[in-house]
Amino acid sequence: MREMWIVIKREFRERVRTRAFILSTILLPIFAIAIFAVPYLMGGAGGGEFDVAIIDETPEGIASRIALNLAEPGGDAIFRTQIVSRPLAETRDSLTALVRAEELDGFLRLGPDFVRTAAATYRGSVVTNMTMIQGLRAAVSQAIQSERLDRAGLDAAQVATLLEPATLETSQITRSGAEGGDTLSTMILAYFITFLLYLFIILYGTQVMQSVHEEKGNRIAEVLMSSVTAPQLLAGKVFGVGGAALVQMLAWGGLLALAVSQRGRIAQRLDIPAEALAGFQLDPLVAFLLLLYALLGFFLYASLYAAAGAATQDMQDAQQFVWILVMPLIIPLILQFQIISAPHGPLATAVGWIPLTSPLAMPLRMGTTEISGLELTGSLTLLALSVALTSWVAGKIYRIGMLSTGRRASLREIWRWLRYT
């Protein structure tokens, strides 16, 4: 045990004392916040100012209504419009030249049968800005609806009042009866935590494999294994790297808790309603379970990474094994929308029980709904048993693989190691 503790301290100190560890601990949360905050502070996703020409070929002159709708304040897109009364056939070349010269963002054409078909066309330098396209579509729709209502002798304002849509406020009810976050904040928090756990497992699992390769390539493992048994060396390496990972996770968790406690001030700074961030809260028990899944998931995959490192000669060689190891971990990310939409469905339940996917699937489910204590206990127990089994298998591969140099071990040879050791 004393020898394993020495290995743990060595692996731990080698990581927490580096500048990369300190910088990643500080900069990664800042980078994650910037991903969400910077687009909002700079005008939202797709906002901006747009110069649009409206080619009016309709006998009714609906273009003026569309121009008034686009000029109304509100939204992230600001439109400046000019109405062109000549047909597109006469103005296409000149308008296209203005678009190419970046003096005009695009032109909207209303054909002669626009009132009957309600079909308009837009040509511009950018047609992937959804905020702009939605603004144009809304303005055109309002104009054609107003024209049709006028023709039917109905007052547009009264009809709009009668057809005003209802608002639906959503809030999650916890098992204690309290109300949790709304739909959007719950989904964002669940996805953010799950993606963070994915990075945590991948980054530190890769570090374990790199450490194994370094010791194998430098022949240090042969010296160490003369004083420490292979299982102790493997366990010390995994626990040492895991300790460094735990320190970083606790630091990130502390920053997240601080941000959640100050969400009122953050909302005020960003000039958004305080209710928009009200759902960003995390129960202490849920936080503990998330940490438990993160650690068990790390130990599971770190053992697999260590085995892959011991069975291969270099990192390039190991890539052939790594993609097989990572594939189960990617499954919950691929199925995230299905899991969030139906957290108690058969698909979400299945990936929550499978040990290779549960470290990400269960946090994703816990972020969207409450999971029964029985299911959590069963999933964690199965995951812990898988960690023990994987560590035992990885220890066998590690013991022979670290002393085998000069060629890559095939899957058949690895199977032989497991049978005869």
Side-chain angles (χ1 to χ4, degrees):
M1 182 62 69
R2 179 176 175 274
E3 292 79 3
M4 187 178 73
W5 180 245
I6 293 174
V7 177
I8 292 175
K9 289 194 294 184
R10 172 181 172 272
E11 294 290 339
F12 178 80
R13 289 173 179 173
E14 277 191 355
R15 280 155 183 82
V16 298
R17 290 181 175 180
T18 61
R19 291 182 181 179
F21 180 86
I22 298 173
L23 289 176
S24 63
T25 303
I26 298 173
L27 295 180
L28 187 59
I30 296 176
F31 177 72
I33 294 172
I35 291 177
F36 293 98
V38 170
Y40 180 85
L41 295 174
M42 295 185 68
E49 299 182 359
F50 306 96
D51 293 303
V52 177
I54 303 176
I55 304 173
D56 188 10
E57 299 181 7
T58 64
E60 295 80 10
I62 302 179
S64 58
R65 285 187 173 182
I66 296 177
L68 288 174
N69 293 337
L70 291 175
E72 291 182 358
D76 296 325
I78 300 174
F79 290 92
R80 291 185 293 268
T81 59
Q82 54 179 295
I83 299 176
V84 179
S85 301
R86 291 182 297 167
L88 177 63
E90 300 177 7
T91 58
R92 180 190 295 272
D93 293 339
S94 59
L95 291 175
T96 301
L98 291 175
V99 172
R100 296 181 62 184
E102 298 184 357
E103 297 180 13
L104 194 67
D105 289 295
F107 49 89
L108 177 71
R109 176 182 179 261
L110 311 177
D113 56 349
F114 173 66
V115 176
R116 180 180 61 84
T117 62
T121 59
Y122 176 78
R123 300 292 183 267
S125 57
V126 176
V127 294
T128 55
N129 189 311
M130 297 310 299
T131 301
M132 179 192 66
I133 297 301
Q134 289 173 2
L136 288 173
R137 184 179 289 114
V140 172
S141 299
Q142 291 173 11
I144 190 63
Q145 289 170 3
S146 297
E147 177 65 25
R148 288 175 173 176
L149 289 173
D150 288 345
R151 292 188 175 192
L154 300 175
D155 183 76
Q158 292 180 350
V159 173
T161 302
L162 293 173
L163 299 179
E164 184 177 358
T167 60
L168 180 64
E169 179 186 353
T170 61
S171 182
Q172 181 185 2
I173 297 180
T174 63
R175 295 188 183 276
S176 61
E179 292 189 2
D182 60 6
T183 303
L184 182 60
S185 61
T186 300
M187 289 178 61
I188 292 175
L189 186 61
Y191 176 76
F192 180 76
I193 291 176
T194 304
F195 187 71
L196 188 64
L197 294 180
Y198 170 77
L199 289 179
F200 166 77
I201 294 173
I202 291 295
L203 291 177
Y204 281 98
T206 304
Q207 287 191 25
V208 171
M209 186 169 65
Q210 289 175 342
S211 179
V212 170
H213 272 301
E214 289 176 4
E215 293 183 355
K216 184 175 181 179
N218 298 332
R219 311 298 290 268
I220 299 176
E222 298 179 9
V223 179
L224 293 175
M225 290 175 67
S226 63
S227 303
V228 185
T229 63
Q232 288 179 334
L233 184 58
L234 175 62
K237 191 175 297 294
V238 171
F239 279 107
V241 177
L246 179 61
V247 169
Q248 197 166 59
M249 284 288 291
L250 292 177
W252 291 342
L255 291 174
L256 180 61
L258 178 63
V260 170
S261 66
Q262 300 297 318
R263 59 185 181 272
R265 294 185 179 180
I266 295 174
Q268 186 178 3
R269 283 277 187 176
L270 296 177
D271 194 24
I272 59 178
E275 296 78 10
L277 299 181
F280 292 95
Q281 50 189 334
L282 200 59
D283 184 83
L285 177 60
V286 175
F288 171 75
L289 291 173
L290 291 174
L291 182 61
L292 197 57
Y293 271 105
L295 290 176
L296 289 175
F298 164 75
F299 290 137
L300 177 67
Y301 278 91
S303 299
L304 295 175
Y305 271 102
T312 54
Q313 297 303 313
D314 50 42
M315 288 298 295
Q316 183 177 359
D317 195 21
Q319 295 303 320
Q320 301 183 23
F321 290 93
V322 169
W323 72 271
I324 301 177
L325 303 180
V326 175
M327 280 185 65
L329 201 59
I330 298 177
I331 291 176
L333 297 179
I334 297 176
L335 302 176
Q336 57 181 312
F337 294 110
Q338 290 89 334
I339 295 174
I340 290 175
S341 301
H344 291 294
L347 178 61
T349 303
V351 294
W353 278 90
I354 299 173
L356 291 173
T357 57
S358 62
L360 293 189
M362 289 303 287
L364 194 59
R365 296 179 64 199
M366 286 189 293
T368 54
T369 187
E370 288 206 8
I371 309 299
S372 66
L374 180 61
E375 188 172 356
L376 286 171
T377 303
S379 175
L380 285 170
T381 301
L382 188 59
L383 180 57
L385 292 175
S386 299
V387 170
L389 177 61
T390 304
S391 301
W392 176 74
V393 172
K396 286 188 154 193
I397 298 175
Y398 186 85
R399 182 169 60 182
I400 298 180
M402 292 298 287
L403 301 177
S404 300
T405 59
R407 62 187 183 87
R408 180 182 62 189
S410 63
L411 293 177
R412 180 179 299 178
E413 189 170 359
I414 293 175
W415 174 250
R416 192 180 303 116
W417 293 353
L418 296 176
R419 291 180 58 190
Y420 295 107
T421 57

